């Protein structure tokens, strides 16, 4: 499996719109070939036939820029990286295939949930651009294959909620101000009423977070995903417009809450920012949870204008660089020396490499609180 050798080439390291709050946009289109059962009911022969049909179609559209991967052939590190980049829903997935564009901005899974799920990725908040990319590819591939569809129901998929347009819109958001003001529960309910799900990107924070500011009910690092609940109702235009409106509303809410939360919790926030910086710069080992919490707090400092020396896209890229799979890949392909007392402890090696990654990233950062 190939990964980006130059971090600056990765889509998540690019500058994006509204990226102080919205870190990334992903749009997935789910499709199934006509006259075949859904993946859970495929025979081995049908499975192979569908993969061959879809790969042939991809090659006809843009074969030079795509390569196919059999999921069962991935090692554990590669599977973990695919899950961390949201190409696979889980690193435990063993069946099906992946079609990946060389720049990582477009991917497809074959015979996983549906026959083909095509996804486009963009840094920051840009639903229109992200949709245009995946929709354009969908139009091109339909010149060579016929997808199962109904005039009344739209595209037919294995999940009723994924039928209709077959579109899943997902935007990752950083909401520290709303979290600290304890407005997330009300926002979750409001989003649900509008047809969206707001959930934690990396799990819950809790009292063990090193910043001392996370509370029960807040996401780890204050990172959240906003997704549409269903793709059944409305046209693609209506669904993208509705999602854009919802996200713009949340972005405005987060920005408006910044001055209020800093006025109410100034000393606690200053302490957490200084503590995060100290842990990042002085630790020998850093766990994944600690790293996510540190990145979040120092991004918050940047949002408040009290941190310089690093930009939003670098902070966003760190969320991928400090993940276990990425670090295991770096460790596997690099030459590192470890102390004898943990030379046989792979978890400690990863935690040390994560600490070094954060130290390098924050080397020239200046915190002025």
């Amino acid at each position: 499996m190939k990964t980006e050798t130059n971090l600056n080439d990765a889509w998540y390291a690019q500058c994006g719109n509204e990226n102080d709050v919205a870190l990334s946009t992903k749009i997935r289109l789910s499709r199934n070939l006509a006259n075949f059962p859904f993946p859970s009911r495929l025979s081995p022969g049908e499975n192979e036939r569908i993969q061959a049909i879809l790969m042939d179609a991809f090659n006809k559209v843009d074969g030079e820029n795509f390569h196919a991967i059999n999921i069962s052939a991935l090692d554990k590190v590669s599977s973990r990286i695919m899950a961390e980049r949201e190409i696979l829903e889980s690193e435990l997935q063993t069946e099906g295939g992946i079609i990946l564009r060389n720049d990582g901005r477009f991917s497809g899974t074959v015979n996983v949930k549906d026959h083909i799920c095509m996804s486009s990725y963009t840094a920051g908040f840009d639903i229109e651009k992200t949709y245009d990319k995946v929709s354009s590819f969908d139009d091109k591939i339909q010149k060579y294959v016929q997808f199962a569809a109904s005039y009344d129901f739209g595209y037919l998929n294995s999940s009723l909620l994924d039928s209709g347009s077959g579109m899943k819109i997902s935007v990752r958001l950083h909401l520290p101000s709303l979290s600290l003001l304890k407005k997330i529960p009300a926002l979750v309910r409001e989003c649900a009423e509008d047809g969206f799900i707001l959930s934690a990107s990396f799990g819950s924070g809790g009292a063990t977070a090193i910043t001392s500011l996370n509370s029960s009910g807040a996401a780890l690092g204050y990172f959240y995903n906003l997704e549409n609940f269903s793709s059944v109702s409305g046209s693609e235009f209506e669904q993208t417009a509705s999602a854009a409106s919802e996200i713009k509303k949340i972005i405005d809410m987060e920005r408006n809450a910044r001055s209020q939360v800093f006025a109410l919790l100034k000393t606690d926030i200053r302490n957490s920012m200084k503590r995060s910086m100290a842990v990042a710069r002085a630790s020998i080992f850093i766990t994944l949870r600690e790293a996510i919490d540190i990145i979040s707090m120092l991004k918050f400092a940047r949002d408040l204008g009290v941190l310089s020396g690093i930009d939003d896209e670098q902070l966003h890229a760190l969320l991928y660089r400090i993940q276990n799979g990425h670090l295991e890949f770096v460790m596997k392909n690099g030459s590192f020396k470890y102390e004898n007392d943990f030379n046989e402890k792979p978890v400690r090696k990863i935690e040390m490499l994560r600490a070094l990654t954060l130290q390098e990233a924050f080397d020239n950062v200046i915190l002025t609180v």
Side-chain angles (χ1 to χ4, degrees):
M1 189 199 79
K2 297 180 180 178
T3 65
E4 295 92 349
T5 55
N6 183 350
L7 178 64
N8 294 326
D9 292 335
W11 69 266
Y12 50 77
Q14 305 303 309
C15 183
N17 300 328
E18 319 287 3
N19 64 354
D20 59 320
V21 180
L23 278 67
S24 63
T25 304
K26 174 187 176 183
I27 295 184
R28 185 207 72 201
L29 297 180
S30 297
R31 304 284 188 259
N32 288 277
L33 295 181
N35 303 317
F36 283 95
F38 291 133
S40 62
R41 295 183 176 275
L42 288 174
S43 67
E46 289 172 324
N47 190 328
E48 294 174 3
R49 176 63 178 153
I50 287 173
Q51 291 197 45
I53 291 171
L54 289 170
M55 196 61 227
D56 180 63
F58 267 75
N59 283 331
K60 289 176 179 176
V61 172
D62 191 11
E64 292 184 1
N65 290 314
F66 284 93
H67 60 280
I69 303 168
N70 192 322
I71 294 175
S72 63
L74 293 173
D75 59 26
K76 290 183 179 180
V77 174
S78 299
S79 294
R80 192 164 292 137
I81 290 174
M82 290 295 172
E84 291 167 358
R85 296 185 184 180
E86 299 179 81
I87 295 168
L88 292 177
E89 289 188 3
S90 169
E91 63 184 78
L92 301 178
Q93 178 68 41
T94 59
E95 300 295 328
I98 297 170
I99 301 174
L100 186 64
R101 201 165 78 180
N102 295 334
D103 62 5
R105 294 175 183 268
F106 188 97
S107 70
T109 57
V110 178
N111 289 339
V112 175
K113 189 175 183 180
D114 290 291
H115 292 162
I116 179 70
C117 292
M118 300 171 284
S119 299
S120 178
Y121 308 82
T122 306
F125 169 50
D126 201 330
I127 286 180
E128 182 177 354
K129 178 181 177 182
T130 312
Y131 172 72
D132 285 346
K133 287 182 177 180
V134 71
S135 177
S136 175
F137 196 91
D138 183 41
D139 290 340
K140 292 176 182 177
I141 203 171
Q142 289 200 46
K143 295 178 182 179
Y144 306 102
V145 298
Q146 181 182 356
F147 291 132
S150 160
Y151 181 81
D152 294 322
F153 297 104
Y155 291 103
L156 305 179
N157 294 320
S158 59
S159 168
L160 179 61
L161 294 176
D162 286 337
S163 296
S165 69
M167 178 166 58
K168 175 72 74 174
I169 301 169
S170 179
V171 177
R172 179 168 289 170
L173 302 163
H174 185 233
L175 306 175
S177 300
L178 294 174
S179 298
L180 293 173
L181 291 174
K182 303 186 185 303
K183 293 186 176 182
I184 294 298
L187 181 58
V188 169
R189 292 191 294 271
E190 187 176 334
C191 289
E193 291 173 359
D194 294 338
F196 296 91
I197 300 171
L198 185 69
S199 59
S201 295
F202 303 106
S204 66
T208 59
I210 66 163
T211 61
S212 302
L213 281 174
N214 269 324
S215 58
S216 59
L220 177 64
Y222 311 122
F223 294 107
Y224 297 85
N225 288 340
L226 184 82
E227 297 182 339
N228 56 314
F229 177 72
S230 168
S231 62
V232 174
S233 300
S235 65
E236 288 89 343
F237 175 80
E238 291 170 326
Q239 290 175 15
T240 54
S242 176
S245 176
E246 192 78 6
I247 293 158
K248 287 176 182 176
K249 178 186 71 177
I250 296 173
I251 289 172
D252 289 341
M253 290 174 65
E254 173 62 26
R255 288 173 177 166
N256 292 334
R258 284 175 188 162
S259 58
Q260 181 184 357
V261 73
F262 197 56
L264 290 172
L265 301 169
K266 182 177 181 180
T267 303
D268 284 334
I269 291 173
R270 289 178 63 239
N271 175 67
S272 294
M273 290 174 179
K274 288 179 176 290
R275 192 168 183 224
S276 295
M277 183 64 78
V279 171
R281 284 180 164 169
S283 297
I284 297 175
F285 306 113
I286 295 181
T287 67
L288 178 58
R289 289 180 61 85
E290 289 171 338
I292 292 171
D293 206 41
I294 288 168
I295 293 167
S296 172
M297 189 51 60
L298 295 181
K299 176 169 169 50
F300 189 29
R302 175 176 167 77
D303 295 339
L304 291 170
V306 296
L307 181 140
S308 60
I310 193 168
D311 54 34
D312 282 314
E313 47 265 36
Q314 289 173 302
L315 288 163
H316 183 209
L318 274 177
L319 286 174
Y320 293 85
R321 294 177 62 200
I322 53 86
Q323 296 291 329
N324 289 335
H326 183 91
L327 292 173
E328 287 177 62
F329 179 84
V330 172
M331 186 170 67
K332 182 179 177 181
N333 291 275
S335 178
F336 302 95
K337 293 183 178 180
Y338 303 96
E339 298 294 335
N340 292 332
D341 60 340
F342 68 97
N343 197 43
E344 300 302 322
K345 300 176 182 177
V347 173
R348 276 310 204 194
K349 291 180 180 180
I350 293 295
E351 290 175 351
M352 190 193 80
L353 190 53
R354 183 178 293 116
L356 292 172
T357 300
L358 291 181
Q359 288 168 18
E360 179 185 29
F362 298 132
D363 186 46
N364 296 316
V365 165
I366 298 174
L367 186 63
T368 57
V369 291

